[in-house]
């Protein structure tokens, strides 16, 4: 009897072994776990994983890469690489045995790429392939691999056919014939580079020295004796060469060096043969020969962006694009508009202005201190062109208040949207913004988050972004070390101005709040020190509930952080955490809301400083009489004027030099000080050039940005030859 039972058991074992072998050879699932894996695409080969497959694996232990009990194709970490769970094991998703998914096995002559298995043949279900020259191509319903960079039927992507008269180069459709085409239009140049239509002819801007460059290069020539290669003017050593305003190397006859492009451009245009050629217009504008004249393609309504492109009635040319003319009103401050000269301006208080006046310098409503002017780059400057900022409202014109270094209006016009205003100290240290007649901080205002009128459904705004409302986590989880919190993938906080969201210690979604050179995650919904915004401290005895301080009301309620609350008592009174505090003396809100002074520091005139440097480490801010200084070697030093600690501790000025405003320079120039920094009138810094003269190298056409660098005869020096 026992013999019969042993024979029966042996038959059962043999049968089970045969069934397992058959299941493995046919690709049928051998267990319920295998059956849960996704099916292979039609025509794709599949193969089971085995311990001797020669691929990287990681068993399902504890940690980030665990796969125990996980479903197949779930993402996992493998030695710092992306992996997937296959049969309870974490394996690399780039191996040929399981390319991008467990069931995908590449053939012998195929490789595993970002889109799956790649070979020279196209198979059903495959999107990418290798072309004959080894580049990545596309499977576009054909057996052979299509080169998407050159195919006119599949240019850039499958099914994207170029229009008649166009060819494909580098995945873009370009003109095959320049006859009648506007100057500067892209065309089929020689080789694999773009050309440009110039006077009805396609010029190869990759190789022609008279048309060298990538965009707007027709007529932009290289200096004499310099060749063009790969769209760059190159010298004998192979490095790039630009023309010089000092004519060394010289430009070809009839051209002049453009300080803006570094190419030799024509000084005159001569008809249709040079249509679209670059020409010397001066300044930073892009000049082009159109209709026999040199025009500014950025602002010319008859040649907007390219020759012959005419803007329709009611439109104007702005930055090379035709745009509808706007009527300025209080509700659209900051919107681009057209000035009577045809140039681009900005709407400000119902008028179109150039935004380069002392009243609105660079931005509507951001004025300069009294006696200063506005530079071309939108920065307030003194008589010597050096940047200046206000420090007190007494330096501002009547009706303006000093805020963030500019003279700003304290209130907004009814219904005003856009333009700068005096908000106090915003959470990012910038100007306030007029939104519906109210001055707000768009970095933290829940009703105008990032821009006017952008209300946050969650009721919280951090860093100009609405905090998301809780929702489902993304399918497949988060990548790159991020974790999912309330349906949002977040990473650890990094120091910097951008902020972002993070995982708060309370378990919910928080915001990254900056603190000088570090950043930490704070719960804006329940943290009394960061209630509704970074640094928003609730008054003593109040708690933070849903991003609002309990009991806070009136002007200093949530959303008004940093606003002036008692101008009669001084402009240092700001709303901080729902209370009106004096940021000149408050050690928990020193200079701005939420800035807490460190151990041993006091808040003096809005700055945290120590009153004694004895035993204090270098670089701590201290107070020297009525002037702030820095602790250097146990003494409080005024680094703005100390010649042994000029600008910082232990930085000496050297023999003959003085320290003014933290800068070392000689008071007068001598032959021995040639090239050295020197003081101009008003303590601006120049250079000793020539016969002992101190010159302003930002304006001197004979010494422009350096001694001996001369501009051309028709050029001036304004932070570079123009």
């Amino acid at each position: 009897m026992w013999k019969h039972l042993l024979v029966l058991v042996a038959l059962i074992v043999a049968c089970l072994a045969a069934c397992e072998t058959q299941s493995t050879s046919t690709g049928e699932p051998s267990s319920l776990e295998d059956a849960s894996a996704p099916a292979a695409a039609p025509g794709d080969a599949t193969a089971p994983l085995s311990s001797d497959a020669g691929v990287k694996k990681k068993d399902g232990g504890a940690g980030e890469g665990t796969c125990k009990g996980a479903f197949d194709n779930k993402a996992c970490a493998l030695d710092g690489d992306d992996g997937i769970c296959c049969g309870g094991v974490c394996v690399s998703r780039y191996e040929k045995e399981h390319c991008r998914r467990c069931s995908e096995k590449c053939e012998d002559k195929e490789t595993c790429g970002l889109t799956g298995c790649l070979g020279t043949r196209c198979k059903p279900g495959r999107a990418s392939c290798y072309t004959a020259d080894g580049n990545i191509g596309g499977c576009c319903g054909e057996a052979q691999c299509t080169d998407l960079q050159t195919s006119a039927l599949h240019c850039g992507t499958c099914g994207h056919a170029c229009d008649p008269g166009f060819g494909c180069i580098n995945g873009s459709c370009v003109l095959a014939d320049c006859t009648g085409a506007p100057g500067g239009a892209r065309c089929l140049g020689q080789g694999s580079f773009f050309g440009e239509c110039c006077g009805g002819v396609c010029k190869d801007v990759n190789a022609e020295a008279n048309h060298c460059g990538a965009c707007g290069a027709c007529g932009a020539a290289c200096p004499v004796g310099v060749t063009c290669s790969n769209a760059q003017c190159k010298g004998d050593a192979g490095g790039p060469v630009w023309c010089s305003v000092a004519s060394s190397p010289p430009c070809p006859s009839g051209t002049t060096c453009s300080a803006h492009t570094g190419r030799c451009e024509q000084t005159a245009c001569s008809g249709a043969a040079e249509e679209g050629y670059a020409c010397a217009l001066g300044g930073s504008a892009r000049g082009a020969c159109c209709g026999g004249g040199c025009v500014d393609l950025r602002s010319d309504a008859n040649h907007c962006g390219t020759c012959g492109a005419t803007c329709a009635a009611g439109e104007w040319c702005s930055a090379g694009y035709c745009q509808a003319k706007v009527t300025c009103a209080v509700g659209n401050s900051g919107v681009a508009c057209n000035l009577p000269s045809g140039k681009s301006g900005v709407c400000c208080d119902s008028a179109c202005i150039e935004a380069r006046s002392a009243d609105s310098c660079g931005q509507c409503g951001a004025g300069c201190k009294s006696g200063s002017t506005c530079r071309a780059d939108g920065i307030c400057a003194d008589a010597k062109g050096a940047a200046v900022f206000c420090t007190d409202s007494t330096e501002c014109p009547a009706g303006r208040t000093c805020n963030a270094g500019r003279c700003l209006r304290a209130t907004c016009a009814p219904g005003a949207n856009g333009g700068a205003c005096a908000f106090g100290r915003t959470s990012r240290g910038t100007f306030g913004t007029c939104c519906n007649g109210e001055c707000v901080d768009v970095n933290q205002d829940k009703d105008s988050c990032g821009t006017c009128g952008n209300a946050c459904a969650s009721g919280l705004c951090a860093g100009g972004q609405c905090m998301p409302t809780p929702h489902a986590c993304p399918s497949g989880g988060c990548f790159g070390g991020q974790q999912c919190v309330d349906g949002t993938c977040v990473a650890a906080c990094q120091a910097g101005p951008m902020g972002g969201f993070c995982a708060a210690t309370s378990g919910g979604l928080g915001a990254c709040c900056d603190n000088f050179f570090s950043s930490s995650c704070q719960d804006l919904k329940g943290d009394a020190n960061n209630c509704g915004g970074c640094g928003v401290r609730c008054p003593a005895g109040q708690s933070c509930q849903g991003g609002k301080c309990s009991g806070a009301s009136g002007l200093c309620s949530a959303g008004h952080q940093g606003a002036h609350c008692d101008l009669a008592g001084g402009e240092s009174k700001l709303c901080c955490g729902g209370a009106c505090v004096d940021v000149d003396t408050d050690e928990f809100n020193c200079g701005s809301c939420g800035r807490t002074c460190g151990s041993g520091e006091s808040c003096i005139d809005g700055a945290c400083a120590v009153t004694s440097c004895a035993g204090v480490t270098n670089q701590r801010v201290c107070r020297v009489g009525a002037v702030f200084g820095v602790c250097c070697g146990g003494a409080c030093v005024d680094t703005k004027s100390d010649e042994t600690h000029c600008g910082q501790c232990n930085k000496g000025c050297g023999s003959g030099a003085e320290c003014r405003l933290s800068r070392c320079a000689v008071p007068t120039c001598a032959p021995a000080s040639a090239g050295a920094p020197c003081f101009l009138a008003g303590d601006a810094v120049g250079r000793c050039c020539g016969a002992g003269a101190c010159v302003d190298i930002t304006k001197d056409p004979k010494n422009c940005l350096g001694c001996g660098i001369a501009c051309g005869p028709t050029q001036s020096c304004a932070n570079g030859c123009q």
Side-chain angles (χ1 to χ4, degrees):
M1 177 178 179
W2 289 106
K3 291 182 179 180
H4 292 295
L5 288 175
L6 290 173
V7 171
L8 179 60
V9 170
L11 289 173
I12 294 174
V13 171
C15 181
L16 290 174
C19 291
E20 183 177 356
T21 302
Q22 181 181 6
S23 173
T24 303
S25 63
T26 59
E28 294 295 325
S30 58
S31 67
L32 291 176
E33 183 176 348
D34 290 336
S36 64
D44 289 346
T46 59
L49 293 169
S50 61
S51 60
D52 58 353
V55 298
K56 288 198 296 184
K57 301 178 181 180
K58 182 175 181 179
D59 56 29
E64 190 177 4
T66 182
C67 285
K68 282 186 176 179
F71 55 84
D72 279 1
N73 299 309
K74 179 183 178 182
C76 57
L78 179 67
D79 299 332
D81 198 359
D82 289 338
I84 52 175
C85 293
C86 293
V89 178
C90 186
V91 297
S92 174
R93 65 171 67 231
Y94 300 109
E95 297 290 345
K96 293 175 62 173
E97 294 293 328
H98 37 75
C99 182
R100 312 300 296 174
R101 58 182 180 179
C102 297
S103 61
E104 183 76 359
K105 180 179 180 181
C106 300
E107 296 178 358
D108 291 340
K109 295 183 179 180
E110 293 181 327
T111 60
C112 182
L114 294 176
T115 59
C117 295
L118 294 177
T120 57
R121 293 183 301 141
C122 287
K123 300 170 61 177
R126 298 279 172 86
S128 302
C129 54
Y130 284 122
T131 61
D133 54 6
N135 295 325
I136 301 296
C139 292
C140 303
E142 302 168 357
Q144 295 298 320
C145 188
T146 300
D147 189 343
L148 302 179
Q149 300 298 303
T150 59
S151 174
L153 295 177
H154 307 284
C155 190
T157 185
C158 289
H160 179 228
C162 297
D163 293 335
F166 283 75
C168 181
I169 185 171
N170 289 351
S172 297
C173 294
V174 296
L175 284 168
D177 184 1
C178 286
T179 303
R186 283 187 167 184
C187 56
L188 283 172
Q190 297 178 4
S192 59
F193 290 87
F194 295 112
E196 288 193 4
C197 291
C198 307
V201 179
C202 186
K203 299 291 185 179
D204 190 353
V205 297
N206 176 60
E208 294 189 37
N210 291 329
H211 313 283
C212 190
C215 182
C218 295
C222 298
V224 174
V226 178
T227 60
C228 180
S229 176
N230 291 333
Q232 284 189 331
C233 296
K234 293 186 176 181
D236 295 336
V241 174
W242 310 99
C243 65
S244 169
V245 292
S247 298
S248 178
C251 284
S253 176
T255 68
T256 185
C257 182
S258 169
H260 176 61
T261 64
R263 294 284 192 268
C264 298
E265 298 179 352
Q266 300 179 157
T267 55
C269 300
S270 57
E274 294 180 348
E275 188 81 355
Y277 278 30
C279 54
L281 194 61
S284 61
R286 175 191 167 192
C289 291
C290 298
C294 189
V295 303
D296 185 350
L297 296 177
R298 300 183 310 170
S299 60
D300 195 301
N302 294 317
H303 307 282
C304 189
T306 186
C307 290
T310 305
C311 295
E315 293 183 334
W316 64 294
C317 185
S318 174
Y321 293 93
C322 292
Q323 299 183 15
K325 293 182 179 180
V326 299
T327 300
C328 292
V330 293
N332 64 353
S333 289
V335 174
C337 57
N338 58 304
L339 294 165
S341 63
K343 300 290 185 179
S344 177
V346 62
C347 287
C348 184
D349 295 339
S350 303
C352 185
I353 66 171
E354 194 173 354
R356 290 181 181 177
S357 66
D359 182 70
S360 294
C361 187
Q363 185 175 346
C364 173
C368 299
K369 61 185 292 186
S370 299
S372 61
T373 58
C374 183
R375 293 191 323 207
D377 56 359
I379 299 296
C380 297
D382 59 16
K384 295 297 182 181
V388 294
F389 305 93
C390 66
T391 57
D392 187 85
S393 294
T394 57
E395 301 174 313
C396 295
R400 294 292 180 106
T401 181
C402 182
N403 181 210
R406 290 293 188 86
C407 295
L408 310 176
R409 50 194 169 195
T411 59
C412 301
N417 282 313
C421 56
F423 184 81
R425 180 74 175 180
T426 68
S427 60
R428 295 291 179 187
T430 56
F431 310 142
T433 303
C434 290
C435 290
N436 196 27
E438 182 182 5
C439 189
V440 304
D441 178 8
V442 294
N443 297 303
Q444 64 177 349
D445 193 285
K446 64 181 179 61
D447 297 317
S448 295
C449 186
T451 185
C452 292
N454 182 35
C456 297
S458 62
L460 289 175
C461 174
Q465 297 181 9
C466 289
M467 182 170 286
T469 55
H471 55 278
C473 289
S475 60
C478 300
F479 292 93
Q482 295 185 335
Q483 57 179 312
C484 183
V485 181
D486 292 341
T488 301
C489 290
V490 297
C493 292
Q494 303 291 329
M498 296 305 295
F501 301 114
C502 52
T505 55
S506 60
L509 194 64
C512 293
C513 294
D514 298 332
N515 182 18
F516 294 99
F517 301 107
S518 63
S519 183
S520 58
C521 191
Q522 305 295 340
D523 179 11
L524 302 188
K525 296 181 180 179
D527 187 348
N529 293 319
N530 299 276
C531 189
C534 295
V536 180
R537 297 168 61 91
C538 293
Q542 293 190 3
S543 61
C544 182
Q545 301 176 6
K548 297 181 180 180
C549 295
S550 61
S553 61
L555 176 62
C556 288
S557 59
H560 289 77
Q561 175 77 352
H564 292 297
C565 52
D566 185 10
L567 290 178
E571 293 179 3
S572 62
K573 296 291 186 70
L574 304 179
C575 289
C576 294
C580 188
V581 302
D582 189 343
V583 295
D584 277 352
T585 58
D586 194 308
E587 295 183 1
F588 296 100
N589 302 278
C590 188
S592 61
C593 295
R595 183 184 179 188
T596 304
C597 294
S599 176
E601 293 180 334
S602 301
C603 185
I604 306 173
D605 291 340
C608 294
V610 296
T611 55
S612 173
C613 289
V616 174
T617 307
N618 285 349
Q619 306 298 339
R620 290 286 293 272
V621 177
C622 56
R623 184 69 177 247
V624 185
V627 180
F628 286 101
V630 176
C631 290
C632 296
C636 191
V637 176
D638 183 3
T639 56
K640 292 182 179 179
S641 59
D642 194 293
E643 293 176 3
T644 58
H645 307 282
C646 189
Q648 63 186 58
C649 292
N650 303 317
K651 180 184 177 182
C653 288
S655 178
E658 298 179 358
C659 181
R660 303 179 190 174
L661 299 178
S662 301
R663 297 172 297 182
C664 292
V666 296
T668 57
C669 292
S673 58
C678 54
F679 285 117
L680 297 163
D683 291 335
V685 176
R687 287 290 185 274
C688 291
C689 299
C694 186
V695 302
D696 186 349
I697 60 174
T698 65
K699 295 182 178 180
D700 192 329
K702 296 181 180 179
N703 302 278
C704 191
L705 299 187
C707 294
I709 303 177
C711 297
T714 61
Q715 294 181 316
S716 61
C717 180
N719 290 317
C721 293
Q722 301 284 344

